[in-house]
CSV table of all heavy atoms in Angstrom, one decimal:
chain,number,residue,atom,x,y,z
A,208,THR,N,-28.4,-22.7,-34.9
A,208,THR,CA,-28.9,-24.1,-34.7
A,208,THR,C,-30.1,-24.2,-33.8
A,208,THR,O,-30.7,-25.3,-33.8
A,208,THR,CB,-27.7,-25.0,-34.2
A,208,THR,OG1,-27.4,-24.5,-32.9
A,208,THR,CG2,-26.5,-25.0,-35.1
A,209,GLY,N,-30.3,-23.2,-33.1
A,209,GLY,CA,-31.4,-23.3,-32.1
A,209,GLY,C,-31.0,-23.8,-30.8
A,209,GLY,O,-31.7,-23.9,-29.8
A,210,LYS,N,-29.8,-24.3,-30.7
A,210,LYS,CA,-29.2,-24.8,-29.4
A,210,LYS,C,-28.5,-23.7,-28.7
A,210,LYS,O,-27.9,-22.9,-29.3
A,210,LYS,CB,-28.3,-26.0,-29.7
A,210,LYS,CG,-28.9,-27.1,-30.4
A,210,LYS,CD,-27.8,-28.1,-30.7
A,210,LYS,CE,-28.4,-29.2,-31.6
A,210,LYS,NZ,-27.4,-29.9,-32.4
A,211,ASP,N,-28.5,-23.9,-27.3
A,211,ASP,CA,-27.6,-22.9,-26.6
A,211,ASP,C,-26.2,-23.5,-26.6
A,211,ASP,O,-26.0,-24.6,-27.0
A,211,ASP,CB,-28.2,-22.7,-25.2
A,211,ASP,CG,-27.9,-23.7,-24.1
A,211,ASP,OD1,-27.3,-24.8,-24.5
A,211,ASP,OD2,-28.2,-23.5,-23.0
A,212,TYR,N,-25.3,-22.7,-26.2
A,212,TYR,CA,-23.9,-23.0,-26.2
A,212,TYR,C,-23.5,-24.3,-25.4
A,212,TYR,O,-22.6,-25.0,-25.8
A,212,TYR,CB,-23.0,-21.9,-25.8
A,212,TYR,CG,-23.1,-21.4,-24.4
A,212,TYR,CD1,-22.3,-22.0,-23.4
A,212,TYR,CD2,-24.0,-20.5,-24.0
A,212,TYR,CE1,-22.4,-21.6,-22.1
A,212,TYR,CE2,-24.1,-20.1,-22.7
A,212,TYR,CZ,-23.3,-20.6,-21.7
A,212,TYR,OH,-23.4,-20.2,-20.4
A,213,ARG,N,-24.3,-24.5,-24.3
A,213,ARG,CA,-24.0,-25.7,-23.5
A,213,ARG,C,-24.4,-27.0,-24.3
A,213,ARG,O,-23.6,-28.0,-24.3
A,213,ARG,CB,-24.8,-25.6,-22.2
A,213,ARG,CG,-24.3,-24.6,-21.3
A,213,ARG,CD,-25.2,-24.5,-20.0
A,213,ARG,NE,-24.9,-23.3,-19.2
A,213,ARG,CZ,-25.5,-22.2,-19.3
A,213,ARG,NH1,-26.5,-22.1,-20.1
A,213,ARG,NH2,-25.2,-21.2,-18.6
A,214,GLU,N,-25.6,-27.0,-24.9
A,214,GLU,CA,-26.0,-28.1,-25.6
A,214,GLU,C,-25.0,-28.4,-26.8
A,214,GLU,O,-24.7,-29.6,-27.0
A,214,GLU,CB,-27.4,-27.9,-26.2
A,214,GLU,CG,-28.5,-27.9,-25.2
A,214,GLU,CD,-29.8,-27.6,-25.9
A,214,GLU,OE1,-30.1,-26.4,-26.0
A,214,GLU,OE2,-30.6,-28.5,-26.2
A,215,ALA,N,-24.7,-27.4,-27.5
A,215,ALA,CA,-23.8,-27.5,-28.6
A,215,ALA,C,-22.4,-28.1,-28.1
A,215,ALA,O,-21.8,-28.9,-28.8
A,215,ALA,CB,-23.6,-26.2,-29.3
A,216,TYR,N,-21.9,-27.6,-27.0
A,216,TYR,CA,-20.6,-28.0,-26.5
A,216,TYR,C,-20.7,-29.5,-26.1
A,216,TYR,O,-19.8,-30.3,-26.5
A,216,TYR,CB,-20.2,-27.2,-25.3
A,216,TYR,CG,-18.8,-27.6,-24.8
A,216,TYR,CD1,-17.7,-27.1,-25.4
A,216,TYR,CD2,-18.6,-28.5,-23.7
A,216,TYR,CE1,-16.4,-27.5,-25.0
A,216,TYR,CE2,-17.4,-28.9,-23.3
A,216,TYR,CZ,-16.3,-28.4,-24.0
A,216,TYR,OH,-15.0,-28.8,-23.6
A,217,LEU,N,-21.8,-29.9,-25.5
A,217,LEU,CA,-21.9,-31.3,-25.1
A,217,LEU,C,-22.0,-32.2,-26.3
A,217,LEU,O,-21.4,-33.3,-26.4
A,217,LEU,CB,-23.1,-31.5,-24.1
A,217,LEU,CG,-22.9,-31.0,-22.7
A,217,LEU,CD1,-24.2,-31.1,-21.9
A,217,LEU,CD2,-21.8,-31.6,-22.0
A,218,GLU,N,-22.8,-31.8,-27.3
A,218,GLU,CA,-23.0,-32.6,-28.5
A,218,GLU,C,-21.7,-32.8,-29.2
A,218,GLU,O,-21.4,-33.9,-29.7
A,218,GLU,CB,-24.0,-31.8,-29.4
A,218,GLU,CG,-24.4,-32.7,-30.6
A,218,GLU,CD,-25.5,-31.9,-31.4
A,218,GLU,OE1,-26.7,-31.9,-31.0
A,218,GLU,OE2,-25.1,-31.4,-32.5
A,219,GLU,N,-20.8,-31.8,-29.2
A,219,GLU,CA,-19.5,-31.9,-29.9
A,219,GLU,C,-18.5,-32.7,-29.0
A,219,GLU,O,-17.7,-33.4,-29.5
A,219,GLU,CB,-19.0,-30.5,-30.2
A,219,GLU,CG,-17.7,-30.5,-30.8
A,219,GLU,CD,-17.1,-29.0,-30.9
A,219,GLU,OE1,-17.8,-28.2,-31.5
A,219,GLU,OE2,-16.0,-28.8,-30.3
A,220,THR,N,-18.6,-32.5,-27.7
A,220,THR,CA,-17.6,-33.0,-26.8
A,220,THR,C,-17.8,-34.4,-26.3
A,220,THR,O,-16.8,-35.2,-26.1
A,220,THR,CB,-17.4,-32.0,-25.6
A,220,THR,OG1,-17.2,-30.7,-26.1
A,220,THR,CG2,-16.3,-32.4,-24.7
A,221,VAL,N,-19.0,-34.8,-26.0
A,221,VAL,CA,-19.3,-36.1,-25.4
A,221,VAL,C,-18.6,-37.3,-26.2
A,221,VAL,O,-17.9,-38.1,-25.6
A,221,VAL,CB,-20.8,-36.3,-25.2
A,221,VAL,CG1,-21.1,-37.8,-24.9
A,221,VAL,CG2,-21.3,-35.4,-24.1
A,222,PRO,N,-18.8,-37.4,-27.5
A,222,PRO,CA,-18.2,-38.5,-28.3
A,222,PRO,C,-16.7,-38.5,-28.1
A,222,PRO,O,-16.1,-39.6,-28.0
A,222,PRO,CB,-18.6,-38.3,-29.7
A,222,PRO,CG,-19.8,-37.4,-29.7
A,222,PRO,CD,-19.7,-36.6,-28.4
A,223,LEU,N,-16.1,-37.4,-28.2
A,223,LEU,CA,-14.6,-37.3,-28.1
A,223,LEU,C,-14.2,-37.7,-26.7
A,223,LEU,O,-13.2,-38.5,-26.5
A,223,LEU,CB,-14.1,-35.9,-28.4
A,223,LEU,CG,-12.7,-35.6,-28.1
A,223,LEU,CD1,-11.8,-36.4,-29.0
A,223,LEU,CD2,-12.4,-34.1,-28.4
A,224,ALA,N,-14.9,-37.3,-25.7
A,224,ALA,CA,-14.5,-37.6,-24.3
A,224,ALA,C,-14.7,-39.1,-24.0
A,224,ALA,O,-13.9,-39.8,-23.4
A,224,ALA,CB,-15.3,-36.8,-23.3
A,225,GLN,N,-15.8,-39.6,-24.5
A,225,GLN,CA,-16.1,-41.1,-24.3
A,225,GLN,C,-15.0,-42.0,-25.0
A,225,GLN,O,-14.5,-42.9,-24.4
A,225,GLN,CB,-17.5,-41.4,-24.8
A,225,GLN,CG,-18.6,-40.9,-23.9
A,225,GLN,CD,-20.0,-41.3,-24.5
A,225,GLN,OE1,-20.3,-41.1,-25.6
A,225,GLN,NE2,-20.8,-41.8,-23.6
A,226,LYS,N,-14.7,-41.6,-26.2
A,226,LYS,CA,-13.7,-42.4,-26.9
A,226,LYS,C,-12.3,-42.3,-26.2
A,226,LYS,O,-11.7,-43.3,-26.0
A,226,LYS,CB,-13.6,-41.9,-28.4
A,226,LYS,CG,-12.7,-42.7,-29.2
A,226,LYS,CD,-12.6,-42.2,-30.7
A,226,LYS,CE,-11.6,-43.0,-31.5
A,226,LYS,NZ,-11.5,-42.5,-32.9
A,227,THR,N,-11.9,-41.1,-25.9
A,227,THR,CA,-10.6,-40.9,-25.3
A,227,THR,C,-10.6,-41.5,-23.9
A,227,THR,O,-9.6,-42.2,-23.5
A,227,THR,CB,-10.3,-39.4,-25.2
A,227,THR,OG1,-10.5,-38.8,-26.5
A,227,THR,CG2,-8.9,-39.1,-24.7
A,228,ALA,N,-11.6,-41.3,-23.1
A,228,ALA,CA,-11.7,-41.9,-21.7
A,228,ALA,C,-11.6,-43.4,-21.7
A,228,ALA,O,-10.9,-44.0,-20.9
A,228,ALA,CB,-12.9,-41.4,-21.0
A,229,LYS,N,-12.3,-44.0,-22.7
A,229,LYS,CA,-12.4,-45.5,-22.8
A,229,LYS,C,-10.9,-46.0,-23.1
A,229,LYS,O,-10.5,-47.0,-22.5
A,229,LYS,CB,-13.3,-45.9,-23.8
A,229,LYS,CG,-13.4,-47.4,-24.0
A,229,LYS,CD,-14.4,-47.8,-25.0
A,229,LYS,CE,-14.5,-49.3,-25.1
A,229,LYS,NZ,-15.5,-49.8,-26.1
A,230,LYS,N,-10.3,-45.3,-24.0
A,230,LYS,CA,-8.9,-45.8,-24.4
A,230,LYS,C,-7.9,-45.7,-23.2
A,230,LYS,O,-7.0,-46.5,-23.1
A,230,LYS,CB,-8.4,-44.9,-25.5
A,230,LYS,CG,-7.0,-45.3,-26.0
A,230,LYS,CD,-6.6,-44.5,-27.2
A,230,LYS,CE,-5.2,-44.9,-27.7
A,230,LYS,NZ,-4.8,-44.1,-28.8
A,231,TYR,N,-8.1,-44.7,-22.3
A,231,TYR,CA,-7.1,-44.5,-21.2
A,231,TYR,C,-7.7,-44.9,-19.9
A,231,TYR,O,-7.0,-44.6,-18.9
A,231,TYR,CB,-6.7,-43.0,-21.2
A,231,TYR,CG,-5.8,-42.7,-22.4
A,231,TYR,CD1,-6.4,-42.2,-23.6
A,231,TYR,CD2,-4.5,-43.0,-22.5
A,231,TYR,CE1,-5.6,-41.9,-24.7
A,231,TYR,CE2,-3.7,-42.7,-23.6
A,231,TYR,CZ,-4.3,-42.2,-24.7
A,231,TYR,OH,-3.5,-41.9,-25.8
A,232,GLY,N,-8.8,-45.5,-19.8
A,232,GLY,CA,-9.4,-46.0,-18.5
A,232,GLY,C,-9.8,-44.8,-17.6
A,232,GLY,O,-9.6,-45.0,-16.3
A,233,LEU,N,-10.4,-43.8,-18.1
A,233,LEU,CA,-10.8,-42.7,-17.3
A,233,LEU,C,-12.4,-42.5,-17.3
A,233,LEU,O,-13.0,-43.2,-18.1
A,233,LEU,CB,-10.2,-41.4,-17.8
A,233,LEU,CG,-8.6,-41.4,-17.7
A,233,LEU,CD1,-8.1,-40.2,-18.5
A,233,LEU,CD2,-8.1,-41.5,-16.3
A,234,PHE,N,-12.9,-41.6,-16.5
A,234,PHE,CA,-14.3,-41.4,-16.5
A,234,PHE,C,-14.6,-40.2,-17.5
A,234,PHE,O,-14.2,-39.1,-17.3
A,234,PHE,CB,-14.8,-41.0,-15.1
A,234,PHE,CG,-14.9,-42.1,-14.2
A,234,PHE,CD1,-13.8,-42.5,-13.3
A,234,PHE,CD2,-16.1,-42.9,-14.1
A,234,PHE,CE1,-13.9,-43.5,-12.5
A,234,PHE,CE2,-16.2,-44.0,-13.2
A,234,PHE,CZ,-15.1,-44.3,-12.4
A,235,PRO,N,-15.5,-40.5,-18.5
A,235,PRO,CA,-15.8,-39.4,-19.4
A,235,PRO,C,-16.5,-38.3,-18.7
A,235,PRO,O,-16.3,-37.1,-19.1
A,235,PRO,CB,-16.8,-40.1,-20.4
A,235,PRO,CG,-16.5,-41.6,-20.3
A,235,PRO,CD,-16.0,-41.8,-18.9
A,236,SER,N,-17.3,-38.5,-17.7
A,236,SER,CA,-18.0,-37.5,-17.0
A,236,SER,C,-17.1,-36.5,-16.4
A,236,SER,O,-17.3,-35.2,-16.5
A,236,SER,CB,-18.9,-38.0,-15.9
A,236,SER,OG,-18.2,-38.8,-15.0
A,237,VAL,N,-16.0,-37.0,-15.8
A,237,VAL,CA,-15.0,-36.1,-15.2
A,237,VAL,C,-14.2,-35.3,-16.3
A,237,VAL,O,-14.0,-34.1,-16.1
A,237,VAL,CB,-14.0,-36.9,-14.3
A,237,VAL,CG1,-12.9,-36.0,-13.8
A,237,VAL,CG2,-14.8,-37.6,-13.2
A,238,MET,N,-13.9,-36.0,-17.4
A,238,MET,CA,-13.2,-35.3,-18.5
A,238,MET,C,-14.0,-34.2,-19.0
A,238,MET,O,-13.6,-33.1,-19.3
A,238,MET,CB,-12.9,-36.4,-19.6
A,238,MET,CG,-12.0,-35.8,-20.7
A,238,MET,SD,-11.6,-37.1,-21.9
A,238,MET,CE,-10.5,-38.2,-21.0
A,239,ILE,N,-15.3,-34.5,-19.2
A,239,ILE,CA,-16.2,-33.4,-19.8
A,239,ILE,C,-16.4,-32.3,-18.8
A,239,ILE,O,-16.3,-31.1,-19.2
A,239,ILE,CB,-17.6,-34.1,-20.1
A,239,ILE,CG1,-17.5,-35.1,-21.2
A,239,ILE,CG2,-18.6,-33.0,-20.5
A,239,ILE,CD1,-18.7,-36.0,-21.3
Side-chain angles (χ1 to χ4, degrees):
T208 61
K210 297 176 192 158
D211 82 353
Y212 65 91
R213 291 177 192 95
E214 289 175 276
Y216 185 79
L217 288 175
E218 190 175 283
E219 176 187 304
T220 305
V221 167
L223 174 61
Q225 285 180 312
K226 183 179 179 183
T227 307
K229 182 178 181 181
K230 181 177 180 180
Y231 292 94
L233 301 170
F234 285 92
S236 61
V237 173
M238 186 178 289
I239 297 164

